[in-house]
Amino acid sequence: MPKARSRRRRVAVVGAGIGGLSAAALLAKDGDEVDVFERLPYAGGKAASVALGGYRFDTGPSLFTMPWVFSDFFARLGERMEDRLRPIALEPICNYFYPDGSRLSAYSDEGRFGAELEAKTDSTGAELGRYLRSGRRFWDIAGELFLTKSLHEASTYLSKKGLWSIARLPWIDPFRSLHEANAAAFSDPRVAQLFDRYATYNGSSPFKTPATMRIVPHVEYQWGGWAVEGGIRSVATALEGAARDAGAHLHLGTEVEAILAEPRGGFAARGGATAGGRAQVAGIRVGGRELPYDIVVSDADVLSTYRRLLNAPDAPEAKRYERLEPSSSGLVFLWGIKASFPELSSNNIFFSGDYRAEFQALFAEPPARRGAGAPAAEASRGWPGPELTVYVNVTSKTTPTDAPPGGENWFVLVNAPRNAGQDWAPIAAEVRRRVLERLSRGLGRELEALIEVERIMTPADIERDTGSTYGSLYGIASNDRLSAFFRHPNRSRRIRGLYFCGGSAHPGGGMPLALLSGSLAAELARKYGKD
């Protein structure tokens, strides 16, 4: 229980993404006076939606995972998740299409999935069982430590659970790559490729990210993959409603111009400059007006927070963060298809024939080190590579009203490099041609003539629309065994009263992790925020 306070603290949350909404709801529930400022006319961040003709598309996340994270969140508000969200279990979770024409379905039921492997591949149910059990052990050792606790607070490591986990970290296979572990675990390389793809859940390469990432498929097969009634956009709507009902005030279409800080220990920071020394949050500037707040929670991208909101591009935290390798971005095609494809499920993957070459091209250049206004690096030299893996999400499979009768709404995604000033128009045209060719070949039907409506989203569009630096979907990549520790902490040590949440802060991107980041920011603000 939070300690009694002599007065209500004034809290400003900058950004109404999944993390910002969760922090706002929890702080308002605790009795704080919370204002949420969002520059877009809607809440939800990347969990957005668009209508084209008679088709509706989710334009961000497409799979609902770790439902217990959302259940726990709503329980903390005294609510039931089911009263705001209606998840729909997916079986299969995903269908896989290989270049050789073979197909495979992945199920959360281990027995059914094992039988599928034995019927269609050279791998066995026993291999699958051993693999999933190892992921469960990894979760037991590191899951709570890495996802539900701050990695930047001493109390995390000094707790009984923290000490127990630290002593066992060598057991979570940090020195092999995910691909090396998968290739050793499965007799059939197609199955290894299936599990390699889980590196993309946080925008990383399976040939670089540590085998510890086996935690990710464990999460999916332990707790299932889900759609949501009304689409993933319903998650944002549910969180917005919860935040409002808890007492938070949302100011949509209202851009925060600066986070204000006062000197603490002899340096001036009013209006932004926080490159050195220490400071205390004073408030924010909106529409040219300075508004006082005791606490500020930034749900904006970490680098955008330092560069634009704090006017501190040279702050040590910003310089350190921009040296880290950004996660991949995405090139998205929203297609209204005037036909039905029964062989597709809600989630579908059309694999390339050379996964290693695909990721070598995707992460061909060194990490970005450009500052604001510096010339863009040639970040995608060699991309697109010779082959591309294509993801197709079809929400009309579970929500028929998302497409006209007889049609389907296809969200088509190709992993793409970060935005660094490329000319995306010719790149998108070339990728579109290749994607249509791959899907037409895999489905045995010519697709071009079936596209009734279309919209293309490039990494530059994603950067502009979501505020994610470089258009990176998950902040930094996990292409290093220590990446989890390099994510930006949820509490600023330099600026008292400033907290961070969202996909670029700990514990990372994706809806459940963003929700956890907001919860962590709220917990730390509760603990350290001044009365």
Side-chain angles (χ1 to χ4, degrees):
M1 292 291 292
K3 66 180 181 179
R5 293 191 290 269
S6 58
R7 68 178 179 86
R8 297 179 73 193
R9 300 178 304 180
R10 300 197 70 222
V11 179
V13 178
V14 183
I18 301 297
L21 291 172
S22 67
L26 293 170
L27 289 169
K29 181 69 173 179
D30 281 349
D32 291 321
E33 184 180 340
V34 180
D35 288 308
V36 183
F37 297 88
E38 170 56 56
R39 67 181 180 88
L40 297 173
Y42 57 84
K46 293 186 180 75
S49 177
V50 65
L52 300 175
Y55 300 86
R56 190 204 69 84
F57 302 87
D58 287 319
T59 60
S62 54
L63 186 67
F64 187 76
T65 59
M66 300 174 72
W68 58 268
V69 170
F70 295 85
S71 293
D72 289 354
F73 167 78
F74 284 108
R76 292 173 65 181
L77 297 175
E79 301 187 16
R80 295 171 65 250
M81 177 184 73
E82 294 77 11
D83 292 334
R84 292 196 182 264
L85 276 178
R86 297 184 182 275
I88 303 168
L90 297 177
E91 287 287 27
I93 296 176
C94 188
N95 283 342
Y96 294 91
F97 298 75
Y98 293 89
D100 63 3
S102 59
R103 300 180 181 182
L104 190 62
S105 295
Y107 300 91
S108 59
D109 181 274
E110 184 180 325
R112 190 175 182 186
F113 192 9
E116 176 84 352
L117 295 184
E118 294 195 349
K120 298 181 179 179
T121 76
D122 294 329
S123 288
T124 66
E127 290 177 351
L128 176 66
R130 285 193 295 271
Y131 186 83
L132 295 180
R133 284 193 297 274
S134 72
R136 190 174 306 126
R137 286 195 301 272
F138 289 6
W139 174 265
D140 291 340
I141 293 171
E144 182 178 353
L145 176 70
F146 280 81
L147 299 185
T148 67
K149 304 293 182 184
S150 170
L151 296 184
H152 307 89
E153 301 291 324
S155 58
T156 297
Y157 304 100
L158 297 178
S159 67
K160 184 177 179 180
K161 174 64 175 177
L163 292 170
W164 182 89
S165 296
I166 291 168
R168 288 160 178 78
L169 288 182
W171 300 357
I172 61 175
D173 208 0
F175 300 108
R176 288 193 298 175
S177 71
L178 179 62
H179 172 73
E180 288 170 332
N182 291 343
F186 295 104
S187 302
D188 196 308
R190 291 172 298 177
V191 182
Q193 186 177 22
L194 187 158
F195 284 97
D196 279 354
R197 72 167 281 253
Y198 285 94
T200 66
Y201 274 40
N202 66 359
S204 306
S205 165
F207 304 96
K208 293 182 177 181
T209 198
T212 308
M213 286 289 288
R214 276 184 282 179
I215 284 176
V216 178
H218 159 71
V219 163
E220 187 163 301
Y221 293 104
Q222 176 71 28
W223 293 295
W226 305 74
V228 179
E229 187 176 295
I232 292 296
R233 176 65 193 158
S234 298
V235 177
T237 302
L239 294 176
E240 178 184 0
R244 291 184 185 274
D245 289 349
H249 304 282
L250 270 69
H251 308 271
L252 303 179
T254 305
E255 185 169 9
V256 172
E257 297 160 354
I259 295 173
L260 309 176
E262 295 285 11
R264 186 161 64 98
F267 93 106
R270 189 70 176 179
T274 56
R278 296 185 179 277
Q280 167 71 53
V281 153
I284 60 174
R285 187 168 64 243
V286 178
R289 297 175 56 219
E290 294 189 356
L291 306 178
Y293 286 94
D294 304 304
I295 290 169
V296 174
V297 180
S298 179
D299 187 37
D301 178 88
V302 164
L303 283 178
S304 178
T305 298
Y306 282 102
R307 292 173 176 173
R308 185 177 66 84
L309 296 175
L310 291 170
N311 189 27
D314 294 325
E317 298 89 343
K319 301 302 288 184
R320 178 189 66 81
Y321 199 85
E322 70 181 8
R323 286 193 295 269
L324 301 174
E325 184 172 26
S327 79
S328 60
S329 184
L331 192 53
V332 176
F333 304 91
L334 304 178
W335 288 338
I337 302 292
K338 55 182 179 181
S340 178
F341 288 79
E343 61 268 53
L344 295 180
S345 62
S346 293
N347 299 288
N348 310 272
I349 295 287
F350 292 76
F351 276 126
S352 69
D354 192 339
Y355 221 31
R356 185 181 294 275
E358 183 176 347
F359 281 94
Q360 285 175 340
L362 186 62
F363 292 100
E365 295 296 314
R369 291 182 170 85
R370 62 185 172 101
E378 188 186 351
S380 60
R381 187 173 59 205
W383 192 89
E387 293 189 74
L388 297 169
T389 292
V390 183
Y391 168 71
V392 181
N393 174 248
V394 190
T395 65
S396 59
K397 296 290 185 180
T398 54
T399 306
T401 54
D402 281 350
E408 294 180 349
N409 63 331
W410 288 16
F411 170 95
V412 181
L413 169 70
V414 173
N415 293 317
R418 62 179 171 87
N419 178 47
Q422 301 95 317
D423 183 357
W424 284 105
I427 296 174
E430 170 63 13
V431 171
R432 182 183 186 275
R433 181 189 67 79
R434 293 199 201 177
V435 166
L436 283 170
E437 181 182 274
R438 174 69 183 95
L439 296 180
S440 297
R441 185 171 68 252
L443 294 170
R445 295 174 68 178
E446 185 61 42
L447 292 178
E448 177 85 53
L450 299 178
I451 299 175
E452 192 168 30
V453 296
E454 177 179 35
R455 178 174 295 180
I456 299 174
M457 299 164 54
T458 71
D461 297 326
I462 293 170
E463 181 169 15
R464 180 197 65 223
D465 295 341
T466 70
S468 299
T469 305
Y470 313 128
S472 297
L473 298 178
Y474 307 94
I476 64 171
S478 292
N479 288 338
D480 184 281
R481 67 178 63 94
L482 297 177
S483 295
F485 298 94
F486 292 153
R487 287 195 178 275
H488 197 282
N490 304 107
R491 175 171 72 100
S492 172
R493 300 298 182 93
R494 188 176 302 276
I495 307 173
R496 185 181 178 190
L498 176 61
Y499 301 86
F500 291 83
C501 64
S504 60
H506 174 72
M511 289 193 298
L513 271 61
L515 191 79
L516 288 170
S517 77
S519 298
L520 285 169
E523 290 172 8
L524 292 168
R526 190 180 301 133
K527 180 177 180 180
Y528 294 102
K530 72 175 184 178
D531 289 344

